Amino acid sequence: MNFPSKSSSQSPSLGSCQQGKRTPVEVVQAWIEDFLKTHPTLSGDEAVKLSEAYGRILAKDVIAPISIPHFQRGMMDGFAVRAEDLQGATEEKPVLLERLGLSRPGQGTSLQVQPGTAIQIFTGAPLPDGADTVIPIEHCKPHNDKQTYWEMGVELPAGKHVAEPGEDLMEGSKILAAGRRIRPADVGLLSMLGMKRVPVRQKPKVSLLITGNELLPPGSQPEGFRFADSNGPMLQSLVQRDGAYPLEIKNVIDHPEEVKETLRQTEADLILVSGGTSAGGEDYLPQILKEDGELIFHGIATKPGGPAGIGFWEGKLVFLLPGNPVACYWIYELFVSQIPQRWGGKATKIAYSKSMRRLNQSILSKEGRTDFVRGTLVNGGITPLQIQGGSRLTSIVSADGFLIIPSEVDQLNAGDTTEFYHFENDLL
Ligand code: AMP
Ligand code: MG
């Protein structure tokens, strides 16, 4: 997510896994930035249906292949006339014009406006030949019962209430630039331009590997001491938010061969593994990467999320996310989020709105460590939640947002002002 962090004087290479020592967040951030410089994008584009284009990243500039409108069009219900014929007309002294017929939207008319005549027109219909102006119906009154002659009660300049071809958009002009995130009105315009398919950047594919013998598939009822996985569905949602495509969640038991086999089968651009990354007897992931892949970092100075790791498996970037759901969420937001965003062609964007807020209570941290502190807003100030561990997902769900205590700060005091990230606005 690329949260603002103080740049570190340490070189990223110093961040390699060191026994017993946690790497500062800034060092990991710098390493990710370097990685993204050398792996800036996934090259592929694809053409999607118009109905699937919303929210995608445009892969090519759109040059208008036609003008909008592509014909001269009436913009009001009324009469197509020659402005000349309205000269001197007022409500009291209207001019009398003969009605020749009607121009309807989508149809038009083959009739021509001659001096002293008018053709009735509905909004959006083509302007009949000979006319240069539309007089709105509210200035027109039938002169007799047959409605053959009409009284026109206002003088108008030529061109009034007429849209010229290309007035909205001229053929050949560049209207949308590559890299734009496609908005609802863009989709409407692309349709008018006659584009059934839209060239967009391919979404990065993200593999979600969820380890834990205690876990059941998403949405399951508890069975004995086993319970449903929260991290898979949560990561799926985060990955989608960041413009990537989450592959099917793979629930894997805590067995090194099973984990390796699942890793071997993954076809993603980025691999996220949940669980098995701390120091317990079943935490095989760091070892697997060390032996059969590459382990760059293991142990990061952040709370929650300390056991997190980063490495490579068969050349693919792997994040080891702690199984504790809050830690998993935080490590994703802190480090991972920016990668699918960038690869998908989006400028990296923090997913939360921010405001400066006063702290209602002091919070202790530790120098060298970056903390993710959930809080509620009370009287406009931040009250940190009492429970700040990595395990309780309700501490995110019931919070209004969070603040970050950067590594160089060891304490925030009541009354201090700090940036608060709002959960309720977490749409990109
Ligand atoms: P681990 O990182 O595998 O050591 O797991 C740490 C804690 O998080 C344990 O209490 C796990 O039961 C819990 N946990 C691990 N993975 C998940 C998950 N996908 N969903 C919910 N809880 C999890
Ligand atoms: Mg586990």
Side-chain angles (χ1 to χ4, degrees):
M1 136 167 331
N2 227 6
F3 287 106
S5 61
K6 291 261 152 63
S7 61
S8 168
S9 54
Q10 278 172 280
S11 135
S13 60
L14 292 179
S16 305
C17 190
Q18 291 167 14
Q19 204 66 41
K21 190 164 179 289
R22 291 194 160 168
T23 308
V25 163
E26 296 77 9
V27 173
V28 180
Q29 292 278 29
W31 184 88
I32 293 172
E33 265 163 43
D34 270 10
F35 173 80
L36 282 172
K37 271 186 204 134
T38 50
H39 302 77
T41 182
L42 302 178
S43 51
D45 298 344
E46 59 180 328
V48 294
K49 284 195 257 172
L50 206 51
S51 56
E52 288 159 12
Y54 168 60
R56 300 296 299 270
I57 306 296
L58 195 60
K60 298 191 177 91
D61 293 345
V62 174
I63 312 294
I66 54 167
S67 292
I68 299 176
H70 68 284
F71 57 91
Q72 214 183 16
R73 187 162 77 165
M75 298 302 285
M76 297 283 273
D77 291 331
F79 280 86
V81 297
R82 293 154 20 100
E84 225 174 277
D85 286 351
L86 297 179
Q87 264 179 25
T90 62
E91 222 170 298
E92 296 75 35
K93 273 188 66 188
V95 297
L96 213 56
L97 296 180
E98 185 189 358
R99 180 190 183 280
L100 299 182
L102 174 65
S103 175
R104 294 174 193 271
Q107 288 181 1
T109 174
S110 57
L111 297 168
Q112 280 193 11
V113 172
Q114 310 288 348
T117 69
I119 293 176
Q120 198 169 358
I121 188 166
F122 295 152
T123 305
L127 193 75
D129 287 347
D132 56 17
T133 303
V134 173
I135 171 168
I137 192 73
E138 47 272 34
H139 297 294
C140 311
K141 250 192 351 219
H143 183 64
N144 54 18
D145 286 348
K146 284 189 203 150
Q147 306 196 355
T148 321
Y149 283 90
W150 283 67
E151 295 171 9
M152 310 295 184
V154 72
E155 186 178 322
L156 293 171
K160 192 75 183 168
H161 306 307
V162 174
E164 294 299 324
E167 193 172 283
D168 188 6
L169 181 61
M170 198 57 87
E171 178 184 340
S173 49
K174 176 172 146 181
I175 183 65
L176 296 172
R180 178 183 175 105
R181 184 166 193 234
I182 298 173
R183 303 173 191 164
D186 299 348
V187 181
L189 187 69
L190 291 167
S191 166
M192 290 186 89
L193 290 175
M195 293 176 67
K196 284 201 166 58
R197 292 197 161 255
V198 185
V200 296
R201 299 284 294 271
Q202 265 175 353
K203 288 186 179 189
K205 290 197 218 73
V206 181
S207 173
L208 305 175
L209 220 126
I210 309 298
T211 72
N213 294 339
E214 73 278 35
L215 299 175
L216 295 168
S220 304
Q221 294 294 321
E223 282 174 20
F225 298 113
R226 299 165 75 206
F227 52 89
D229 158 36
S230 66
N231 297 354
M234 182 171 74
L235 290 168
Q236 250 177 349
S237 312
L238 287 163
V239 160
Q240 279 171 353
R241 181 201 67 187
D242 288 333
Y245 180 66
L247 299 180
E248 195 188 345
I249 296 171
K250 291 190 174 156
N251 290 99
V252 191
I253 57 164
D254 291 307
H255 188 286
E257 283 314 313
E258 291 284 333
V259 173
K260 280 187 206 175
E261 190 45 40
T262 315
L263 279 171
R264 270 183 218 117
Q265 286 168 12
T266 183
E267 284 171 12
D269 304 303
L270 174 67
I271 303 173
L272 306 182
V273 186
S274 151
T277 182
S278 46
E282 290 181 329
D283 295 324
Y284 301 113
L285 262 303
Q287 200 59 29
I288 288 175
L289 288 192
K290 212 186 259 182
E291 285 170 9
D292 291 0
E294 197 183 338
L295 186 65
I296 309 291
F297 299 110
H298 182 222
I300 298 171
T302 182
K303 188 181 160 201
I310 301 180
F312 290 97
W313 174 267
E314 292 176 354
K316 285 177 198 148
L317 186 61
V318 183
F319 279 84
L320 304 182
L321 306 171
N324 270 319
V326 181
C328 177
Y329 184 93
W330 172 233
I331 295 296
Y332 180 91
E333 290 296 57
L334 187 57
F335 298 127
V336 184
S337 165
Q338 57 193 312
I339 297 171
Q341 284 193 27
R342 196 88 77 87
W343 281 350
K346 254 188 230 178
T348 312
K349 218 166 161 190
I350 293 174
Y352 306 95
S353 66
K354 292 187 282 183
S355 60
M356 290 304 286
R357 300 277 172 165
R358 198 177 17 82
L359 266 176
N360 293 332
Q361 287 168 24
S362 303
I363 319 171
L364 284 179
S365 177
K366 209 171 120 190
E367 207 175 323
R369 193 182 70 196
T370 301
D371 289 2
F372 169 60
V373 180
R374 281 82 67 214
T376 50
L377 290 176
V378 179
N379 300 327
I382 309 163
T383 299
L385 294 183
Q386 292 307 310
I387 304 300
Q388 288 292 346
S391 63
R392 300 194 196 184
L393 203 47
T394 52
S395 72
I396 295 181
V397 172
S398 59
D400 292 319
F402 62 94
L403 58 93
I404 300 168
I405 308 183
S407 59
E408 69 276 11
V409 175
D410 65 352
Q411 174 166 3
L412 290 174
N413 296 311
D416 286 354
T417 301
T418 183
E419 246 171 6
F420 189 67
Y421 296 84
H422 297 258
F423 279 134
E424 85 261 23
N425 286 321
D426 62 350
L427 291 176
L428 280 188

